[in-house]
mmCIF file of all heavy atoms in Angstrom:
data_model
loop_
_atom_site.group_PDB
_atom_site.id
_atom_site.type_symbol
_atom_site.label_atom_id
_atom_site.label_comp_id
_atom_site.label_asym_id
_atom_site.label_seq_id
_atom_site.Cartn_x
_atom_site.Cartn_y
_atom_site.Cartn_z
ATOM 1 N N LEU V 1 2.972 1.433 -60.993
ATOM 2 C CA LEU V 1 2.296 2.726 -61.097
ATOM 3 C C LEU V 1 2.773 3.495 -62.325
ATOM 4 O O LEU V 1 1.969 4.103 -63.045
ATOM 5 C CB LEU V 1 2.545 3.549 -59.835
ATOM 6 C CG LEU V 1 1.790 3.106 -58.587
ATOM 7 C CD1 LEU V 1 2.324 3.813 -57.353
ATOM 8 C CD2 LEU V 1 0.295 3.384 -58.746
ATOM 9 N N ILE V 2 4.062 3.472 -62.569
ATOM 10 C CA ILE V 2 4.587 4.182 -63.742
ATOM 11 C C ILE V 2 4.002 3.592 -65.016
ATOM 12 O O ILE V 2 3.566 4.328 -65.915
ATOM 13 C CB ILE V 2 6.122 4.106 -63.769
ATOM 14 C CG1 ILE V 2 6.715 4.919 -62.615
ATOM 15 C CG2 ILE V 2 6.659 4.630 -65.103
ATOM 16 C CD1 ILE V 2 8.191 4.681 -62.393
ATOM 17 N N ARG V 3 3.965 2.266 -65.102
ATOM 18 C CA ARG V 3 3.411 1.627 -66.306
ATOM 19 C C ARG V 3 1.919 1.938 -66.456
ATOM 20 O O ARG V 3 1.421 2.101 -67.573
ATOM 21 C CB ARG V 3 3.645 0.119 -66.250
ATOM 22 C CG ARG V 3 5.125 -0.271 -66.336
ATOM 23 C CD ARG V 3 5.298 -1.768 -66.519
ATOM 24 N NE ARG V 3 6.703 -2.172 -66.469
ATOM 25 C CZ ARG V 3 7.561 -2.028 -67.472
ATOM 26 N NH1 ARG V 3 7.150 -1.508 -68.619
ATOM 27 N NH2 ARG V 3 8.815 -2.425 -67.338
ATOM 28 N N THR V 4 1.215 2.042 -65.334
ATOM 29 C CA THR V 4 -0.213 2.385 -65.379
ATOM 30 C C THR V 4 -0.414 3.815 -65.864
ATOM 31 O O THR V 4 -1.338 4.103 -66.638
ATOM 32 C CB THR V 4 -0.834 2.221 -63.979
ATOM 33 O OG1 THR V 4 -0.700 0.864 -63.562
ATOM 34 C CG2 THR V 4 -2.313 2.598 -63.997
ATOM 35 N N PHE V 5 0.452 4.710 -65.410
ATOM 36 C CA PHE V 5 0.328 6.121 -65.774
ATOM 37 C C PHE V 5 0.683 6.398 -67.233
ATOM 38 O O PHE V 5 0.230 7.396 -67.811
ATOM 39 C CB PHE V 5 1.254 6.975 -64.905
ATOM 40 C CG PHE V 5 0.670 7.386 -63.580
ATOM 41 C CD1 PHE V 5 1.501 7.637 -62.498
ATOM 42 C CD2 PHE V 5 -0.692 7.553 -63.419
ATOM 43 C CE1 PHE V 5 0.984 8.035 -61.271
ATOM 44 C CE2 PHE V 5 -1.231 7.943 -62.203
ATOM 45 C CZ PHE V 5 -0.391 8.186 -61.131
ATOM 46 N N THR V 6 1.494 5.543 -67.840
ATOM 47 C CA THR V 6 2.131 5.852 -69.121
ATOM 48 C C THR V 6 1.170 6.396 -70.174
ATOM 49 O O THR V 6 1.466 7.385 -70.854
ATOM 50 C CB THR V 6 2.853 4.600 -69.671
ATOM 51 O OG1 THR V 6 3.911 4.257 -68.776
ATOM 52 C CG2 THR V 6 3.422 4.859 -71.047
ATOM 53 N N LYS V 7 0.004 5.789 -70.316
ATOM 54 C CA LYS V 7 -0.940 6.206 -71.363
ATOM 55 C C LYS V 7 -1.926 7.267 -70.883
ATOM 56 O O LYS V 7 -2.742 7.746 -71.667
ATOM 57 C CB LYS V 7 -1.721 4.985 -71.880
ATOM 58 C CG LYS V 7 -0.853 3.867 -72.440
ATOM 59 C CD LYS V 7 0.006 4.350 -73.610
ATOM 60 C CE LYS V 7 0.831 3.202 -74.187
ATOM 61 N NZ LYS V 7 1.738 3.667 -75.265
ATOM 62 N N GLN V 8 -1.847 7.627 -69.615
ATOM 63 C CA GLN V 8 -2.846 8.535 -69.053
ATOM 64 C C GLN V 8 -2.313 9.931 -68.771
ATOM 65 O O GLN V 8 -3.090 10.833 -68.463
ATOM 66 C CB GLN V 8 -3.399 7.949 -67.748
ATOM 67 C CG GLN V 8 -4.006 6.566 -67.899
ATOM 68 C CD GLN V 8 -4.499 6.030 -66.581
ATOM 69 O OE1 GLN V 8 -5.167 6.722 -65.810
ATOM 70 N NE2 GLN V 8 -4.181 4.782 -66.280
ATOM 71 N N VAL V 9 -0.997 10.110 -68.846
ATOM 72 C CA VAL V 9 -0.406 11.393 -68.476
ATOM 73 C C VAL V 9 0.616 11.820 -69.524
ATOM 74 O O VAL V 9 1.074 11.021 -70.340
ATOM 75 C CB VAL V 9 0.279 11.312 -67.087
ATOM 76 C CG1 VAL V 9 -0.728 10.940 -66.006
ATOM 77 C CG2 VAL V 9 1.446 10.332 -67.101
ATOM 78 N N ASP V 10 0.970 13.105 -69.475
ATOM 79 C CA ASP V 10 1.993 13.637 -70.370
ATOM 80 C C ASP V 10 3.390 13.519 -69.777
ATOM 81 O O ASP V 10 4.381 13.758 -70.481
ATOM 82 C CB ASP V 10 1.704 15.106 -70.694
ATOM 83 C CG ASP V 10 0.382 15.282 -71.426
ATOM 84 O OD1 ASP V 10 0.010 14.368 -72.185
ATOM 85 O OD2 ASP V 10 -0.272 16.321 -71.237
ATOM 86 N N GLY V 11 3.468 13.191 -68.510
ATOM 87 C CA GLY V 11 4.763 13.042 -67.854
ATOM 88 C C GLY V 11 4.575 12.658 -66.406
ATOM 89 O O GLY V 11 3.469 12.743 -65.864
ATOM 90 N N VAL V 12 5.665 12.242 -65.776
ATOM 91 C CA VAL V 12 5.624 11.769 -64.391
ATOM 92 C C VAL V 12 6.678 12.495 -63.563
ATOM 93 O O VAL V 12 7.836 12.611 -63.984
ATOM 94 C CB VAL V 12 5.863 10.248 -64.318
ATOM 95 C CG1 VAL V 12 5.986 9.789 -62.864
ATOM 96 C CG2 VAL V 12 4.732 9.490 -65.004
ATOM 97 N N LEU V 13 6.272 12.966 -62.385
ATOM 98 C CA LEU V 13 7.194 13.470 -61.376
ATOM 99 C C LEU V 13 7.463 12.318 -60.416
ATOM 100 O O LEU V 13 6.544 11.829 -59.757
ATOM 101 C CB LEU V 13 6.590 14.658 -60.620
ATOM 102 C CG LEU V 13 5.988 15.786 -61.476
ATOM 103 C CD1 LEU V 13 5.400 16.854 -60.578
ATOM 104 C CD2 LEU V 13 7.044 16.359 -62.408
ATOM 105 N N LEU V 14 8.698 11.889 -60.340
ATOM 106 C CA LEU V 14 9.069 10.721 -59.550
ATOM 107 C C LEU V 14 9.880 11.191 -58.351
ATOM 108 O O LEU V 14 11.035 11.606 -58.490
ATOM 109 C CB LEU V 14 9.882 9.763 -60.425
ATOM 110 C CG LEU V 14 10.069 8.333 -59.964
ATOM 111 C CD1 LEU V 14 8.733 7.663 -59.696
ATOM 112 C CD2 LEU V 14 10.862 7.553 -61.009
ATOM 113 N N CYS V 15 9.268 11.133 -57.165
ATOM 114 C CA CYS V 15 9.868 11.729 -55.967
ATOM 115 C C CYS V 15 10.484 10.660 -55.061
ATOM 116 O O CYS V 15 9.778 9.741 -54.633
ATOM 117 C CB CYS V 15 8.820 12.515 -55.189
ATOM 118 S SG CYS V 15 8.043 13.811 -56.160
ATOM 119 N N SER V 16 11.783 10.803 -54.793
ATOM 120 C CA SER V 16 12.516 9.850 -53.950
ATOM 121 C C SER V 16 12.279 8.413 -54.408
ATOM 122 O O SER V 16 11.812 7.570 -53.638
ATOM 123 C CB SER V 16 12.118 10.017 -52.480
ATOM 124 O OG SER V 16 12.416 11.313 -52.020
ATOM 125 N N PRO V 17 12.591 8.109 -55.663
ATOM 126 C CA PRO V 17 12.304 6.769 -56.190
ATOM 127 C C PRO V 17 13.166 5.699 -55.531
ATOM 128 O O PRO V 17 14.273 5.959 -55.062
ATOM 129 C CB PRO V 17 12.647 6.900 -57.677
ATOM 130 C CG PRO V 17 13.630 8.019 -57.745
ATOM 131 C CD PRO V 17 13.231 8.976 -56.672
ATOM 132 N N ARG V 18 12.630 4.473 -55.520
ATOM 133 C CA ARG V 18 13.362 3.319 -54.988
ATOM 134 C C ARG V 18 13.811 2.368 -56.090
ATOM 135 O O ARG V 18 14.556 1.432 -55.830
ATOM 136 C CB ARG V 18 12.477 2.570 -53.977
ATOM 137 C CG ARG V 18 11.982 3.421 -52.822
ATOM 138 C CD ARG V 18 13.108 4.026 -52.027
ATOM 139 N NE ARG V 18 12.642 4.848 -50.925
ATOM 140 C CZ ARG V 18 13.159 6.020 -50.603
ATOM 141 N NH1 ARG V 18 14.160 6.520 -51.315
ATOM 142 N NH2 ARG V 18 12.696 6.695 -49.581
ATOM 143 N N LEU V 19 13.365 2.596 -57.320
ATOM 144 C CA LEU V 19 13.815 1.789 -58.442
ATOM 145 C C LEU V 19 15.281 2.071 -58.761
ATOM 146 O O LEU V 19 15.811 3.140 -58.434
ATOM 147 C CB LEU V 19 12.971 2.083 -59.684
ATOM 148 C CG LEU V 19 11.554 1.523 -59.706
ATOM 149 C CD1 LEU V 19 10.765 2.145 -60.855
ATOM 150 C CD2 LEU V 19 11.570 0.007 -59.837
ATOM 151 N N SER V 20 15.930 1.156 -59.451
ATOM 152 C CA SER V 20 17.308 1.380 -59.898
ATOM 153 C C SER V 20 17.323 2.416 -61.017
ATOM 154 O O SER V 20 16.314 2.620 -61.724
ATOM 155 C CB SER V 20 17.906 0.074 -60.405
ATOM 156 O OG SER V 20 17.262 -0.328 -61.611
ATOM 157 N N ASN V 21 18.468 3.071 -61.193
ATOM 158 C CA ASN V 21 18.617 4.027 -62.292
ATOM 159 C C ASN V 21 18.329 3.370 -63.640
ATOM 160 O O ASN V 21 17.684 3.957 -64.516
ATOM 161 C CB ASN V 21 20.037 4.610 -62.298
ATOM 162 C CG ASN V 21 20.268 5.612 -61.191
ATOM 163 O OD1 ASN V 21 19.394 5.827 -60.344
ATOM 164 N ND2 ASN V 21 21.427 6.228 -61.193
ATOM 165 N N ARG V 22 18.813 2.138 -63.809
ATOM 166 C CA ARG V 22 18.625 1.445 -65.089
ATOM 167 C C ARG V 22 17.141 1.235 -65.396
ATOM 168 O O ARG V 22 16.697 1.445 -66.536
ATOM 169 C CB ARG V 22 19.354 0.095 -65.058
ATOM 170 C CG ARG V 22 19.222 -0.693 -66.351
ATOM 171 C CD ARG V 22 20.048 -1.961 -66.300
ATOM 172 N NE ARG V 22 21.478 -1.645 -66.208
ATOM 173 C CZ ARG V 22 22.439 -2.574 -66.158
ATOM 174 N NH1 ARG V 22 22.108 -3.859 -66.188
ATOM 175 N NH2 ARG V 22 23.695 -2.215 -66.088
ATOM 176 N N MET V 23 16.359 0.849 -64.381
ATOM 177 C CA MET V 23 14.935 0.631 -64.612
ATOM 178 C C MET V 23 14.226 1.953 -64.907
ATOM 179 O O MET V 23 13.350 2.024 -65.782
ATOM 180 C CB MET V 23 14.300 -0.050 -63.395
ATOM 181 C CG MET V 23 12.796 -0.280 -63.543
ATOM 182 S SD MET V 23 12.336 -1.231 -65.040
ATOM 183 C CE MET V 23 12.866 -2.863 -64.555
ATOM 184 N N ILE V 24 14.596 3.008 -64.214
ATOM 185 C CA ILE V 24 13.981 4.315 -64.469
ATOM 186 C C ILE V 24 14.296 4.767 -65.887
ATOM 187 O O ILE V 24 13.419 5.277 -66.608
ATOM 188 C CB ILE V 24 14.460 5.347 -63.435
ATOM 189 C CG1 ILE V 24 13.923 4.995 -62.043
ATOM 190 C CG2 ILE V 24 13.997 6.759 -63.816
ATOM 191 C CD1 ILE V 24 14.480 5.841 -60.921
ATOM 192 N N GLU V 25 15.527 4.582 -66.324
ATOM 193 C CA GLU V 25 15.902 4.949 -67.696
ATOM 194 C C GLU V 25 15.089 4.156 -68.711
ATOM 195 O O GLU V 25 14.662 4.695 -69.741
ATOM 196 C CB GLU V 25 17.400 4.703 -67.900
ATOM 197 C CG GLU V 25 18.282 5.686 -67.154
ATOM 198 C CD GLU V 25 19.741 5.260 -67.131
ATOM 199 O OE1 GLU V 25 20.024 4.075 -67.423
ATOM 200 O OE2 GLU V 25 20.586 6.109 -66.811
ATOM 201 N N ARG V 26 14.854 2.890 -68.427
ATOM 202 C CA ARG V 26 14.073 2.050 -69.341
ATOM 203 C C ARG V 26 12.625 2.538 -69.410
ATOM 204 O O ARG V 26 12.030 2.651 -70.486
ATOM 205 C CB ARG V 26 14.122 0.604 -68.867
ATOM 206 C CG ARG V 26 13.507 -0.409 -69.830
ATOM 207 C CD ARG V 26 13.657 -1.809 -69.283
ATOM 208 N NE ARG V 26 15.062 -2.135 -69.028
ATOM 209 C CZ ARG V 26 15.456 -3.152 -68.290
ATOM 210 N NH1 ARG V 26 14.563 -3.944 -67.708
ATOM 211 N NH2 ARG V 26 16.745 -3.387 -68.119
ATOM 212 N N LEU V 27 12.040 2.852 -68.250
ATOM 213 C CA LEU V 27 10.657 3.313 -68.212
ATOM 214 C C LEU V 27 10.506 4.689 -68.845
ATOM 215 O O LEU V 27 9.448 5.023 -69.393
ATOM 216 C CB LEU V 27 10.166 3.353 -66.764
ATOM 217 C CG LEU V 27 10.026 1.983 -66.080
ATOM 218 C CD1 LEU V 27 9.839 2.152 -64.575
ATOM 219 C CD2 LEU V 27 8.859 1.209 -66.671
ATOM 220 N N ALA V 28 11.567 5.490 -68.799
ATOM 221 C CA ALA V 28 11.525 6.841 -69.371
ATOM 222 C C ALA V 28 11.443 6.818 -70.893
ATOM 223 O O ALA V 28 11.186 7.855 -71.516
ATOM 224 C CB ALA V 28 12.745 7.633 -68.932
ATOM 225 N N GLU V 29 11.643 5.648 -71.496
ATOM 226 C CA GLU V 29 11.470 5.534 -72.950
ATOM 227 C C GLU V 29 10.002 5.657 -73.342
ATOM 228 O O GLU V 29 9.684 5.961 -74.493
ATOM 229 C CB GLU V 29 12.034 4.201 -73.430
ATOM 230 C CG GLU V 29 13.539 4.060 -73.236
ATOM 231 C CD GLU V 29 14.047 2.667 -73.562
ATOM 232 O OE1 GLU V 29 13.211 1.826 -73.979
ATOM 233 O OE2 GLU V 29 15.261 2.415 -73.411
ATOM 234 N N ASP V 30 9.093 5.418 -72.376
ATOM 235 C CA ASP V 30 7.661 5.421 -72.665
ATOM 236 C C ASP V 30 6.942 6.681 -72.189
ATOM 237 O O ASP V 30 5.858 6.998 -72.687
ATOM 238 C CB ASP V 30 7.000 4.201 -72.016
ATOM 239 C CG ASP V 30 7.548 2.896 -72.554
ATOM 240 O OD1 ASP V 30 7.813 2.821 -73.771
ATOM 241 O OD2 ASP V 30 7.725 1.960 -71.759
ATOM 242 N N VAL V 31 7.519 7.383 -71.202
ATOM 243 C CA VAL V 31 6.871 8.579 -70.676
ATOM 244 C C VAL V 31 7.952 9.497 -70.114
ATOM 245 O O VAL V 31 8.917 9.025 -69.494
ATOM 246 C CB VAL V 31 5.834 8.207 -69.580
ATOM 247 C CG1 VAL V 31 6.488 7.555 -68.379
ATOM 248 C CG2 VAL V 31 5.008 9.415 -69.165
ATOM 249 N N PRO V 32 7.841 10.833 -70.332
ATOM 250 C CA PRO V 32 8.849 11.758 -69.790
ATOM 251 C C PRO V 32 8.833 11.766 -68.259
ATOM 252 O O PRO V 32 7.777 11.668 -67.639
ATOM 253 C CB PRO V 32 8.419 13.121 -70.349
ATOM 254 C CG PRO V 32 7.568 12.808 -71.532
ATOM 255 C CD PRO V 32 6.863 11.528 -71.198
ATOM 256 N N PHE V 33 10.010 11.890 -67.683
ATOM 257 C CA PHE V 33 10.164 11.950 -66.234
ATOM 258 C C PHE V 33 10.841 13.248 -65.819
ATOM 259 O O PHE V 33 11.693 13.775 -66.539
ATOM 260 C CB PHE V 33 11.083 10.822 -65.724
ATOM 261 C CG PHE V 33 10.441 9.492 -65.568
ATOM 262 C CD1 PHE V 33 11.104 8.340 -65.966
ATOM 263 C CD2 PHE V 33 9.188 9.356 -65.011
ATOM 264 C CE1 PHE V 33 10.537 7.095 -65.823
ATOM 265 C CE2 PHE V 33 8.607 8.115 -64.863
ATOM 266 C CZ PHE V 33 9.283 6.990 -65.271
ATOM 267 N N VAL V 34 10.496 13.719 -64.621
ATOM 268 C CA VAL V 34 11.379 14.576 -63.843
ATOM 269 C C VAL V 34 11.559 13.868 -62.515
ATOM 270 O O VAL V 34 10.582 13.462 -61.880
ATOM 271 C CB VAL V 34 10.797 15.991 -63.627
ATOM 272 C CG1 VAL V 34 11.626 16.750 -62.584
ATOM 273 C CG2 VAL V 34 10.771 16.760 -64.933
ATOM 274 N N VAL V 35 12.801 13.677 -62.113
ATOM 275 C CA VAL V 35 13.100 12.949 -60.887
ATOM 276 C C VAL V 35 13.442 13.947 -59.792
ATOM 277 O O VAL V 35 14.215 14.877 -60.005
ATOM 278 C CB VAL V 35 14.269 11.968 -61.104
ATOM 279 C CG1 VAL V 35 14.498 11.132 -59.859
ATOM 280 C CG2 VAL V 35 13.981 11.065 -62.295
ATOM 281 N N VAL V 36 12.835 13.759 -58.631
ATOM 282 C CA VAL V 36 13.116 14.614 -57.475
ATOM 283 C C VAL V 36 13.977 13.815 -56.492
ATOM 284 O O VAL V 36 13.597 12.738 -56.041
ATOM 285 C CB VAL V 36 11.815 15.076 -56.787
ATOM 286 C CG1 VAL V 36 12.131 15.935 -55.557
ATOM 287 C CG2 VAL V 36 10.950 15.872 -57.769
ATOM 288 N N ASN V 37 15.134 14.387 -56.180
ATOM 289 C CA ASN V 37 16.099 13.769 -55.249
ATOM 290 C C ASN V 37 16.652 12.441 -55.748
ATOM 291 O O ASN V 37 16.722 11.460 -55.014
ATOM 292 C CB ASN V 37 15.516 13.630 -53.838
ATOM 293 C CG ASN V 37 16.053 14.743 -52.940
ATOM 294 O OD1 ASN V 37 16.597 15.728 -53.430
ATOM 295 N ND2 ASN V 37 15.917 14.575 -51.649
ATOM 296 N N ARG V 38 17.079 12.448 -56.987
ATOM 297 C CA ARG V 38 17.868 11.356 -57.566
ATOM 298 C C ARG V 38 18.566 11.928 -58.802
ATOM 299 O O ARG V 38 17.901 12.534 -59.656
ATOM 300 C CB ARG V 38 16.986 10.178 -57.959
ATOM 301 C CG ARG V 38 17.720 9.076 -58.732
ATOM 302 C CD ARG V 38 18.555 8.170 -57.854
ATOM 303 N NE ARG V 38 17.719 7.280 -57.070
ATOM 304 C CZ ARG V 38 17.245 6.110 -57.517
ATOM 305 N NH1 ARG V 38 17.531 5.689 -58.726
ATOM 306 N NH2 ARG V 38 16.493 5.366 -56.726
ATOM 307 N N ARG V 39 19.847 11.724 -58.882
ATOM 308 C CA ARG V 39 20.586 12.185 -60.058
ATOM 309 C C ARG V 39 20.756 11.014 -61.027
ATOM 310 O O ARG V 39 21.364 9.998 -60.685
ATOM 311 C CB ARG V 39 21.959 12.726 -59.652
ATOM 312 C CG ARG V 39 22.703 13.442 -60.786
ATOM 313 C CD ARG V 39 24.134 13.739 -60.381
ATOM 314 N NE ARG V 39 24.206 14.617 -59.233
ATOM 315 C CZ ARG V 39 24.172 15.946 -59.297
ATOM 316 N NH1 ARG V 39 24.055 16.536 -60.466
ATOM 317 N NH2 ARG V 39 24.257 16.672 -58.197
ATOM 318 N N ILE V 40 20.183 11.164 -62.232
ATOM 319 C CA ILE V 40 20.315 10.149 -63.274
ATOM 320 C C ILE V 40 20.782 10.857 -64.541
ATOM 321 O O ILE V 40 20.135 11.793 -65.009
ATOM 322 C CB ILE V 40 18.972 9.427 -63.527
ATOM 323 C CG1 ILE V 40 18.468 8.765 -62.240
ATOM 324 C CG2 ILE V 40 19.124 8.389 -64.631
ATOM 325 C CD1 ILE V 40 17.107 8.117 -62.369
ATOM 326 N N LYS V 41 21.895 10.433 -65.066
ATOM 327 C CA LYS V 41 22.515 11.108 -66.203
ATOM 328 C C LYS V 41 21.529 11.262 -67.357
ATOM 329 O O LYS V 41 20.881 10.301 -67.778
ATOM 330 C CB LYS V 41 23.744 10.325 -66.664
ATOM 331 C CG LYS V 41 24.543 11.043 -67.749
ATOM 332 C CD LYS V 41 25.799 10.274 -68.104
ATOM 333 C CE LYS V 41 26.589 10.996 -69.192
ATOM 334 N NZ LYS V 41 27.822 10.242 -69.557
ATOM 335 N N GLY V 42 21.418 12.507 -67.852
ATOM 336 C CA GLY V 42 20.567 12.784 -69.001
ATOM 337 C C GLY V 42 19.105 12.966 -68.692
ATOM 338 O O GLY V 42 18.309 13.199 -69.605
ATOM 339 N N MET V 43 18.704 12.866 -67.425
ATOM 340 C CA MET V 43 17.287 12.974 -67.059
ATOM 341 C C MET V 43 17.046 14.241 -66.240
ATOM 342 O O MET V 43 17.815 14.539 -65.322
ATOM 343 C CB MET V 43 16.854 11.739 -66.260
ATOM 344 C CG MET V 43 15.349 11.628 -66.073
ATOM 345 S SD MET V 43 14.893 10.002 -65.391
ATOM 346 C CE MET V 43 15.376 8.938 -66.758
ATOM 347 N N PRO V 44 15.997 15.013 -66.555
ATOM 348 C CA PRO V 44 15.704 16.211 -65.771
ATOM 349 C C PRO V 44 15.509 15.864 -64.303
ATOM 350 O O PRO V 44 14.868 14.856 -63.967
ATOM 351 C CB PRO V 44 14.397 16.733 -66.380
ATOM 352 C CG PRO V 44 14.323 16.134 -67.734
ATOM 353 C CD PRO V 44 15.008 14.808 -67.638
#
């Protein structure tokens, strides 16, 4: 879903994600994120 959204949105709100922090950081290189209920260093 994140990869599908990348070219269609200006950013993604990711709520209670199940992906690893490393994968979220990698995907955040392509689209801005705000994560809800997950602490990831350097990410809103």
Side-chain angles (χ1 to χ4, degrees):
L1 286 169
I2 292 168
R3 293 190 186 282
T4 299
F5 275 152
T6 296
K7 302 301 182 184
Q8 303 179 46
V9 300
D10 298 328
V12 173
L13 310 178
L14 196 55
C15 302
S16 299
R18 303 301 180 223
L19 286 168
S20 68
N21 286 5
R22 180 176 296 181
M23 178 55 74
I24 293 172
E25 289 168 344
R26 188 178 303 164
L27 293 167
E29 296 173 2
D30 298 322
V31 63
F33 279 138
V34 169
V35 185
V36 178
N37 259 15
R38 173 78 73 85
R39 190 190 298 274
I40 302 176
K41 186 176 180 180
M43 191 170 294

